[in-house]
Amino acid sequence: MNHWYAIKTKPKREEGVGMQLKKASFEIFYPKIKGVAFNRRSTVIKKLFTAKPLFPTYLFVRANFNYPPIHRMIRYTRGVNRILGNAEGPQPISEIIIQTLMERTNSDGLLEQELLYRTGDEIIVKRGILKDL
């Protein structure tokens, strides 16, 4: 029976591992979150939107790890660090958790977070040179 499992990859290798596992006909879920970055190289600071991993160095794969060849294939895929589990072996992730994450992502697998602050909101700086302003 196929379940969802969390795969820990080597740093910045999530997409490569995901592509390799997709080629091997596994269902992959690699959620990303929409982030904001600022380009400070030019004279005008530009606001850029980027897609960052929701869980850096992790992705989810749907597979049957009771079948040893599948377990071995995923475990020894280039870029995979380990499969999350305990001493008994890989532990499946609840289907509800994965479904909840999938429902909140768009067609590109991107979670769009709501902005915490809007124009006109009052904020207080707690640390740094502008403390208590």
Side-chain angles (χ1 to χ4, degrees):
M1 176 145 177
N2 290 344
H3 294 286
W4 285 101
Y5 294 90
I7 307 293
K8 179 165 177 50
T9 67
K10 294 177 182 174
K12 304 201 187 265
R13 299 286 304 269
E14 306 95 338
E15 288 192 39
V17 170
M19 287 174 35
Q20 289 177 22
L21 293 175
K22 274 186 183 178
K23 284 181 184 176
S25 300
F26 290 103
E27 188 177 350
I28 301 299
F29 181 54
Y30 175 52
K32 295 179 183 178
I33 191 162
K34 187 175 183 179
V36 178
F38 294 95
N39 181 1
R40 299 179 204 283
R41 292 183 184 170
S42 65
T43 56
V44 178
I45 296 176
K46 295 179 184 176
K47 188 175 176 180
L48 305 170
F49 293 101
T50 61
K52 297 179 180 181
L54 182 61
F55 305 108
T57 71
Y58 290 92
L59 59 92
F60 302 99
V61 63
R62 183 178 218 138
N64 181 1
F65 281 149
N66 294 329
Y67 186 57
I70 288 178
H71 180 264
R72 234 182 345 270
M73 177 189 291
I74 293 173
R75 172 63 187 98
Y76 294 107
T77 297
R78 180 174 288 166
V80 171
N81 192 340
R82 64 189 172 114
I83 302 166
L84 295 188
N86 58 21
E88 298 172 10
Q91 293 298 307
I93 307 277
S94 171
E95 187 78 27
I96 295 169
I97 294 171
I98 301 297
Q99 286 301 323
T100 303
L101 287 171
M102 285 181 167
E103 287 170 2
R104 295 180 184 206
T105 59
N106 62 18
S107 60
D108 300 325
L110 189 66
L111 243 75
E112 291 195 36
Q113 63 189 35
E114 293 180 19
L115 296 175
L116 295 175
Y117 305 108
R118 296 193 183 349
T119 304
D121 286 352
E122 187 175 316
I123 61 169
I124 297 174
V125 179
K126 291 187 175 185
R127 286 186 270 167
I129 197 166
L130 300 176
K131 184 177 178 184
D132 295 329
L133 292 178

